[in-house]
Amino acid sequence: MVTPCEACQWWDTVIGRTEARVRTAPDRWERATAEEHRAQYVANRAEHVRRDHA
């Protein structure tokens, strides 16, 4: 059985919050910024999985 990784759960929470920021952004500038942050967080999570779960 695989136990949940706390870091993966943390990244999922951060990504979820950022996706909410993308959806509720009041203007194009804040939406673009949130989208950039989301892309970076997704890449960081993928790097974590590649390094720590390989």
Side-chain angles (χ1 to χ4, degrees):
M1 181 174 171
V2 176
T3 58
C5 173
E6 288 182 21
C8 286
Q9 292 174 359
W10 182 82
W11 279 117
D12 290 341
T13 300
V14 169
I15 292 166
R17 288 180 187 158
T18 307
E19 288 172 346
R21 282 180 40 218
V22 169
R23 286 190 303 272
T24 61
D27 57 36
R28 191 173 51 191
W29 175 260
E30 288 192 31
R31 185 171 43 256
T33 301
E35 287 172 344
E36 288 178 19
H37 290 165
R38 179 183 56 192
Q40 185 61 52
Y41 297 152
V42 169
N44 289 349
R45 185 185 189 285
E47 177 66 14
H48 158 73
V49 169
R50 187 185 64 74
R51 275 186 308 150
D52 299 338
H53 294 280

